[in-house]
Amino acid sequence: MVNIASISFMQKVKGVKDIEIENNRVLIRVDFNVPMTKNSNISDDTRIREALPTINYCIDHGAKSIVLVSHLGRPKERSDRFSLKHLVKRIERLLARNIIFADTIDSAIRSQNTNTDSNIILLENIRFYNGETKNDDELSKSLASLCDIYINDAFGTSHRMHSSTHGITKFVDTKVAGMLLKKEIDAFARVVTNPLRPLLLIVGGSKVSSKLTLLKNVLNVVDKIIIGGAMSNTFLQSLGYDMQRSLVEYDLVDEANSILKAAKEKKVKIYLPVDVVSTDTIENPKVIKITPSQDIPENLTAVDIGPASVRLFSQVIHDAQTIIWNGPLGVYEERQFSRGTFNIADSIANTYTFSFIGGGDTADAIDRAGHKDSMSFISTGGGASLELLEGNVLPAFEVLDKKTLQD
């Protein structure tokens, strides 16, 4: 189940406001993994904006230098497509300050040594270094050489044991959480430690396997669960439905059935789609049908929840007092298959519940539906949010300085 003690532990990490910044070199691990167009233009700068309070705090409190470290995408080697140089102009505009772009750690060190005034340095994509995802000590030491103070403000990567989120802390004396990291854990604590009930979990996305542990653990916490998206296909298959060409994880059908039985024993109501939108192909559909979930036409694939499911789920949403949503309920990227997900966003937007949105795809879907400002809290980290729901202490929090009774 969700571990309240773990959440309390993570809330006790020291924050940027608990330390002295002035005249210190600061490295901030930010999450600038923003969506980009094919022409390398930023299509959504939310993650950059979320990091501004911590960056500005360090500027205002006299940091000697500020090095911003982030990843972008999952590159296997250096490439222009994943270069953070494409972000420089946007960051400069948002901060109203010049940014020094450093394509290597060595050039970042040189910039620190040659610029006597307070300066902000953006290091090239940290994933260009092979040691990053391996939590390599040499890379961690190199990053640590850039700072006197390490600040982690990248909640979206806080579940990863990487050099820039974990290893670096072994070589820096002062390591604290940024404002976003604190805000994220406090918002999550509000959702699970003492929520208004009924507490509803809406879970979607493509795979049961990625959320299996989550579904088992939350049965002790939530009152109701809505399962949609492609992952609902596996649950429907476990009920004996023929899902035709729909994505089904057949090796997890029995597991899905056991979750349904466990939920019934714990009196947690699980809602599955009662009807679906199915098609012959997602890209260029020639056939689109709305049918009951158990009557999908031969050779078609379920790609969205149907109107009856929307009505059912909307009623459940309006009866809830707290909502956690992780994962879209259909192929929302395609206009003709976005209606189900967008209608669910509409339903949440029209309630007075506390809504916690986790996951980049979910946040993107809500933004496309025009309800970004209607949600109570939109998390910047999908995987990290899932780890929290699974009851885990996130590695990035584990290695930061903790407050003591004297603090």
Side-chain angles (χ1 to χ4, degrees), residues 278-289:
S278 55
T279 185
D280 56 335
T281 176
I282 294 173
E283 290 77 18
N284 298 296
K286 295 180 176 61
V287 179
I288 298 177
K289 298 278 189 181

Side-chain angles (χ1 to χ4, degrees), residues 126-145:
I126 193 63
R127 290 278 178 92
F128 286 175
Y129 293 85
N130 292 329
E132 164 65 355
T133 57
K134 299 174 183 176
N135 204 15
D136 177 69
D137 273 357
E138 288 304 312
L139 177 58
S140 298
K141 285 180 185 177
S142 295
L143 289 170
S145 71

Side-chain angles (χ1 to χ4, degrees), residues 117-358:
D117 295 332
S118 176
N119 55 75
I120 304 172
I121 300 165
L122 175 65
L123 183 66
E124 179 60 286
N125 192 341
I126 193 63
R127 290 278 178 92
F128 286 175
Y129 293 85
N130 292 329
E132 164 65 355
T133 57
K134 299 174 183 176
N135 204 15
D136 177 69
D137 273 357
E138 288 304 312
L139 177 58
S140 298
K141 285 180 185 177
S142 295
L143 289 170
S145 71
L146 290 165
C147 65
D148 308 305
I149 295 170
Y150 169 75
I151 300 172
N152 192 332
D153 211 26
F155 180 75
T157 60
S158 59
H159 58 309
R160 305 291 190 196
M161 292 178 65
H162 292 173
S163 288
S164 66
T165 59
H166 193 271
I168 184 175
T169 61
K170 291 191 290 184
F171 308 103
V172 182
D173 291 334
T174 303
K175 48 266 189 184
V176 298
M179 296 180 188
L180 176 60
L181 214 65
K182 298 285 271 184
K183 184 172 76 169
E184 290 269 7
I185 198 65
D186 287 343
F188 187 83
R190 175 176 174 180
V191 169
V192 298
T193 55
N194 190 27
L196 292 174
R197 293 187 179 276
L199 171 55
L200 167 66
L201 171 66
I202 304 173
V203 60
S206 60
K207 292 186 177 181
V208 176
S209 54
S210 64
K211 296 173 182 175
L212 200 58
T213 306
L214 160 69
L215 289 170
K216 290 177 181 177
N217 284 332
V218 298
L219 293 179
N220 296 302
V221 179
V222 304
D223 302 297
K224 300 178 181 181
I225 302 175
I226 290 173
I227 301 177
M231 68 178 296
S232 67
N233 298 336
T234 303
F235 285 88
L236 293 170
Q237 185 77 35
S238 78
L239 296 177
Y241 297 180
D242 184 350
M243 299 307 293
Q244 297 296 333
R245 291 177 55 207
S246 306
L247 176 62
V248 173
E249 292 179 88
Y250 288 97
D251 57 327
L252 295 176
V253 167
D254 290 341
E255 196 76 53
N257 193 253
S258 69
I259 289 173
L260 294 177
K261 289 180 179 177
K264 190 173 183 179
E265 290 173 3
K266 294 177 181 292
K267 294 182 168 51
V268 175
K269 179 67 175 175
I270 291 185
Y271 298 86
L272 294 167
V274 293
D275 63 343
V276 297
V277 178
S278 55
T279 185
D280 56 335
T281 176
I282 294 173
E283 290 77 18
N284 298 296
K286 295 180 176 61
V287 179
I288 298 177
K289 298 278 189 181
I290 299 174
T291 64
S293 301
Q294 63 268 40
D295 292 326
I296 299 174
E298 190 175 354
N299 292 324
L300 294 191
T301 301
V303 289
D304 195 10
I305 58 174
S309 298
V310 169
R311 287 193 294 273
L312 170 64
F313 293 171
S314 294
Q315 185 58 58
V316 178
I317 287 166
H318 281 281
D319 289 340
Q321 291 295 308
T322 306
I323 297 172
I324 303 170
W325 184 9
N326 189 298
L329 305 186
V331 187
Y332 76 95
E333 301 92 339
E334 300 294 331
R335 182 185 56 79
Q336 58 266 56
F337 307 132
S338 65
R339 189 170 298 176
T341 298
F342 288 2
N343 282 338
I344 294 304
D346 290 343
S347 296
I348 297 174
N350 289 320
T351 68
Y352 293 97
T353 63
F354 184 85
S355 51
F356 182 96
I357 311 303

